[in-house]
Amino acid sequence: MTLDALRAAHPGFEGEVRVLVHGGTCGHAVGVAPHGGFLRQSAGDACAEAACDGACWAAPAATVLRPGHSHRFARLDETGVEPLLTCLAGSCDARADDRGEREHRGGLMSRLGRTDGTLAGALAAGAYEAAARALAMAPAEVIDAVEAMELTGRGGAHFPTGQKWCFATGGEPPVLVVNAEEGEPGVFKDRHMLEGDPHRVIEGMLIAAHATGATDACVYINGQARRARAAFEHALAEAAEAGILGGDALGAAVALTIEVRSGAGGYVCGEETVILNSIEGQRPVPRFKPPQITEAGLFGRPTLLNNVETLAAATLLFDPPAAPPKLVPLSGAVARPGLYEVAVDGQATWGSLLEAARGGAHAPPGVGSLLVGGPSGVFVAAEQFDEPLEMAALGAGGLVALAPGGEANVTLELARYNARESCGECTPCREGTVRLVELLEAPSLDRPKLDELIDVITEASLCQLGGMAGRPIASALATFPQAFSNGAAGAAE
Amino acid sequence: MAKITLNGAEIEVDEGRQLVEVLKEQGVAITNLCYIDGLEPYAGCRTCLVNIEGAPGPPGIQLSCTSRTVDGMTVDTETPAVKQARQQVISLIDANHPDRCLTCHRRVHCMPGDICLRDDVVSHRCLTCAKNYRCELQIANEMLDMGEFDEPWVGEERSYYETAPPEPDRANPYLEFDPQMCIICTRCVRACADIRHTDAITLAGKGFQTRIAFGTGGAVHESDCDFCGACIDVCPTATLMEKPNKWVGRADEWVSSVCNSCSVGCTLAYGTAGGRPVIVRPDRINPVSREQICVRGRFGYTAVPERDRLTRSLARRGNNLLPVPAEEAVADAARMLTAVRREHGSDAIAVLGSPLATNEEAYLLARLAREALGTQHIDFSHGAVHRAVTAAFRDGLGSERLPASLTDVEQTQTIVVVGGDIEQSHQVISLRVKDAVVKRGAKLVLVSSRWGELVPFATAWLQPSPGHEAATVQALARALSDDPALAGQPPAGVDGDALATATETVQAISSNGEDAAGFAVVFAPDAVSSQRASDQARASANLAIAARGDEAASSLHYLPTDANVHGVADMGVAPGDGARSFAEIIAAAQAGEVRALVIHGDNPLLNAPGSDDTRTALESLDALVVIDSVRSTAGEHADVVLAELPFFARTGTLTNADRRVVRSFAAAGPRGEERPGIEILSALANALGGIFRYDGAADVTADIAEHVAGYVPFLQVASGRTRVLEAEGVAGTTRLQPVAAAGADAEPGAGLTVLTGRSLFTSWEGASIRSEQADQLHREESAVINPRDAEAAGVRDGDEIVLSDGRHELRIAARFDDGVAPGSVYVPHYYDAGAVMALFPLDGGTAAPRVQVRALQPA
């Protein structure tokens, strides 16, 4: 079978005009259902549910798609559905928001929340084109192409993906494990991808499996991300049914079995060896290395572990963007929190990113600083906003914009988070993170003790989550020393 | 070999070893609170930090437990940076742990820890920890000069003492669990899972709330815990400790001894204080048990409270047994025995030895019988079972002294276990079988008519109807050989699929059966029916022969029930030619032909089947002389009871299941007029006109070495390595033997077949005196009955029931468990001082007793 035949077998929506109601976690959290119900009554078959398209701020929202015209109607709760119905009727209000059009030109987010969630919809929007081409190539050529696009691990460590795949070849075929835990606050890119474009993730997995010889895979989805899991499992079932998994629907036979597993949650469950323990049914604690998981990982087998976004980005290998794309979940004190795709081209700055999210009427008083990388992250002060973005500095990508003066409070909250989320395996993290909170809660800050404690937690912890537990505190102390003159608790009051 | 530089000195070590073990071997004082020697590192405590250069990985401060030696590495353990890093980590542990032992201003007065200020409330910081000066955390603090190190993270006002500690668990008689002392090193979790394969301990909660939990987090005794104490041995703090003598567990000296509660003969180290044992640790001498023991070894010495021990000899005065001076008791005994001999002849006297006694005592007892009393009627209550087995081995394998070594079991690829529940009867062997399964991927075939903890480890569990064990083993042998001697009926009760799996498993050994590591049969007969033991022994020998041919004797392991069965038999505690066996002695006593009986350390009312007969026999004797450390139920019928030291206070040797001679030294002095068995037996023999001149146990061992083949003098016993075997080996003389067909299954309505066996938690001595504390955990005080049978009899789980065979009634609580096959009921052997033994026939025949079950009518 060929991709064309596959498309023919899965015809999508055939009408001219389509209304996509953005459900997903974002839409349902703010009550999109009644609006969707109303639209379904009005538009009938032309109305379908899609996931969030990354404009989380816009929810509840719906998009009208017609040839040459894409128009998202944001905040249906405020504006009502009248303007949308007007647009649907053919006379579009020029003042309506049209950002949707600009944000969806190519790249990782091109299909995100833009299809009706079916395989047919995804195929119509270009899904599995890259996989079909990759499967026709020799594995080594695929790896070369991934190396050429300079793809790096989007889980935050930014290890070259091509190199990682290359290590996985040669010996016993690896088991592919996909990290979709994304447990840290402020990061929601993988969840969006699984909800809004699950076929891109499956496509990336097929490419990785073809490149490395993996024949089985396990996707570890955050136990609380129920919609993401449901959407992915639905896509998985459709792909299997269509012969994309285990058949030759893409022109070449692939034998990849994909299982989905979920843990019971916890920040530490995003650490790669914890994922393996959790899948195996062990207590979710990290393993020490060596052995590296590429030698002995899941059930002792050689293991290739990639982030959802990394695999999604791998689908761009035949048409790589000029600058490496990065999904950036941005939240906090901005008018338009949501998922942004940033070209890390040396031109983009923290400021330009914030500008995109600033928004008109909803603009908050201003952003004092950015927290980059969540509970293991660092603070970027306003003075640094015109510095260019670098991939390594972005980590997993989570950005939280903070109003001026909120740093001490956030620092304390992060310390509490790290203490709460410590798995308890190693002494420095288990015992030390609690003492960090105590020192920050103390009426006056004992800097020498705090510095020493951060030092021992950083140096002696078993895994990187413990090792980086003191990082935001150290960053806050260095960036906003005046905010801690009376201790974190004092400043927060 | 790798050359490494350790603290400036160049040394050669094996390449690729765990660095922390090398450091310890080199005498470097290194804190390591979570590492267990020999296991994979856990790397959780982070206290074994050292500076490493010239190894893979970034140079600098690294853990020594996860680092392995490589050529050219430089290791520094004492640089200021290393020391500070270790201090910082330890101080984090200290911040959530009681520290009075380090900070008490009077602590210098406690040194070296053998007095403690807790009895003398002069300071608010008095010690409240039972592990003072035995605690690894305390030692780690002292090693790192933490006394001079600021407690950096918490002040006094926020310290450990300000929060209510979690509740300790003191609800069971063996193990105290005090979580406030826990530092989450997880050694206990790993010891329980990786060393004992029990998995009773887990981690609950996360982060700072992480806690050790037993089972699902409830009381220890409600979990799967077997109270082996492996967790106690590895616990660095006072979190897991023995309940008995917890507060006096600091030993003055350590004595190497042996456990006599089963035939594994685990070597124990008794820590003693004030002339009595206060703590037990595994002694590594026995190469099978090594660093592991079971609950009976660790706590057996506490099973009989001191007040229940016999500290003075007793003699019958009128209707009462009254304390008398030891000399008077011996004189009484001698006078009565002499009188019987004078009036009825030597044949009217019989002697019973104990399979729990030392070789030296057994040797003297045999001499006493034959020389001083002139009788050949000497046996012990399980003697017939043992002789049935040894006869089977002589017939099939050419010798009873099998060269198979239990040290091989954990290396074996295919293991067939034949017997009851060896997890309960011989726990450390069960552990080695599990080791083979878990660590070596061995295949286990289990032949047992009831469930045991080995079942989950088995590739196939064959559950024959009671009495069909031998036929089942024979069926396995048939799978390997078509010799007509192996012909027989298919075993009753065995599931067809399980038998097919088991057959495939044993047939697969042809590829790995070339050496002793390929195949093993572990055979543990129950000590009730000699005929059944004989059949099972023959079938087991057949299976070994079918698998290994002339090398069969190297693959067959025989586990007698009691500790020194081999030794006692070797010493001559067995009827001479034409003389009476135990059952015949009892029958003769009932008939008035045997008029006097000397019993050393045995209790036939507890140990032997047919206890009704035994009781009437004991009652009809003219003279009954009992030598024992407790006032046993048999002793109640005695005319004279001579007070012996308890086993752990005696010196001597045992010959264990492996025919290894292990030495046991006295771990306690006498109380009252207790005397060693050797002294008592010598005194009695001399009072009867003998000339026994022995100066201690070693003197007797010298005599044994001279007269018993294979034995050596005391000082030449390489304890645990000296084995009493055939001088020539026994290969090449094998013969397959037919096995008697099992009896037909009883008619429906004939009642339930009674099974019994040795249970894990019950003490022999406690049962022998009918002590309420014989089963301190109360785990063995119920009959295990299949729910199907119970419901048919109108019995509910937990009901008091009555088992009746028409002549006896046994009252016991019912416990539902489908681990016993329908049609059978299991009653623990030691329940109610061996009450179940009354149901079994004295002669050891195969006919299993059948009982009707009914619920006890409420009064």
Side-chain angles (χ1 to χ4, degrees), chain A residues 283 288 421-422 426-427 449 452 460, chain B residues 41 44 46 88 152 205-207:
Chain A
R283 183 176 162 84
F288 63 81
E421 292 297 323
S422 167
C426 74
T427 304
K449 273 191 180 180
E452 195 181 2
Chain B
R46 321 301 281 184
Q88 286 173 330
K206 70 175 181 178

Side-chain angles (χ1 to χ4, degrees), chain B residues 64-393:
Chain B
S64 55
C65 64
T66 56
S67 302
R68 290 181 183 269
T69 52
V70 291
D71 195 43
M73 84 196 294
T74 302
V75 180
D76 284 295
T77 66
E78 299 302 322
T79 65
V82 163
K83 202 167 160 185
Q84 197 198 1
R86 298 223 298 268
Q87 283 178 330
Q88 286 173 330
V89 175
I90 292 269
S91 71
L92 280 169
I93 297 174
D94 287 349
N96 191 31
H97 189 89
D99 62 354
R100 289 174 179 173
C101 65
L102 300 168
T103 55
C104 174
H105 67 286
R106 286 177 59 108
R107 68 191 285 261
V108 66
H109 300 295
C110 297
M111 295 286 271
D114 48 4
I115 62 155
C116 173
L117 296 181
R118 70 178 178 277
D119 295 330
D120 179 12
V121 185
V122 295
S123 155
H124 73 289
R125 298 188 129 184
C126 281
L127 286 175
T128 50
C129 172
K131 218 164 182 180
N132 199 18
Y133 292 98
R134 291 187 286 148
C135 169
E136 284 183 49
L137 180 58
Q138 184 184 34
I139 293 167
N141 270 277
E142 297 192 338
M143 204 189 275
L144 287 166
D145 302 325
M146 294 295 287
E148 293 149 36
F149 189 76
D150 183 25
E151 188 183 78
W153 323 127
V154 282
E156 178 78 6
E157 77 280 0
R158 296 192 52 76
S159 73
Y160 162 83
Y161 297 99
E162 297 296 310
T163 43
E167 283 295 307
D169 179 354
R170 302 195 174 105
N172 70 77
Y174 300 123
L175 177 66
E176 282 203 7
F177 172 40
D178 192 356
Q180 66 164 324
M181 299 292 185
C182 182
I183 60 170
I184 323 290
C185 70
T186 73
R187 278 188 192 170
C188 55
V189 177
R190 288 170 288 133
C192 196
D194 300 346
I195 297 179
R196 297 298 297 212
H197 315 297
T198 304
D199 284 306
I201 315 180
T202 186
L203 281 174
K206 70 175 181 178
F208 195 64
Q209 307 304 323
T210 306
R211 293 286 176 266
I212 300 299
F214 282 76
T216 54
V220 176
H221 63 273
E222 288 167 359
S223 72
D224 280 349
C225 177
D226 282 337
F227 299 95
C228 71
C231 54
I232 297 176
D233 289 339
V234 295
C235 181
T237 68
T239 312
L240 295 162
M241 291 187 75
E242 299 90 345
K243 188 184 184 80
N245 299 307
K246 176 176 175 180
W247 291 91
V248 287
R250 204 179 126 84
D252 299 333
E253 58 177 313
W254 291 89
V255 180
S256 180
S257 182
V258 177
C259 175
N260 76 333
S261 81
C262 83
S263 60
V264 183
C266 300
T267 39
L268 309 177
Y270 279 105
T272 68
R276 65 188 189 96
V278 291
I279 189 168
V280 174
R281 288 279 177 267
D283 207 353
R284 291 161 187 260
I285 293 168
N286 182 331
V288 179
S289 63
R290 300 195 299 276
E291 75 297 342
Q292 295 304 317
I293 53 179
C294 79
V295 60
R296 295 208 295 261
R298 196 176 297 269
F299 300 103
Y301 78 99
T302 68
V304 173
E306 289 211 356
R307 64 175 181 277
D308 289 345
R309 290 214 176 275
L310 192 60
T311 54
R312 297 193 61 189
S313 295
L314 311 171
R316 193 161 291 279
R317 298 286 180 260
N319 279 331
N320 299 318
L321 272 174
L322 299 178
V324 296
E327 295 72 22
E328 191 182 325
V330 169
D332 259 28
R335 185 174 44 75
M336 297 176 82
L337 291 169
T338 307
V340 169
R341 188 177 182 181
R342 198 174 47 236
E343 286 176 35
H344 304 282
S346 299
D347 267 356
I349 302 179
V351 174
L352 290 181
S354 165
L356 279 72
T358 65
N359 288 331
E360 288 70 17
E361 290 153 4
Y363 181 73
L364 288 195
L365 187 75
R367 278 196 63 195
L368 172 83
R370 296 200 164 91
E371 298 171 27
L373 294 168
T375 179
Q376 293 291 332
H377 308 312
I378 175 169
D379 202 355
F380 60 98
S381 45
H382 297 167
V385 172
H386 178 63
R387 286 191 296 278
V389 173
T390 52
F393 291 170

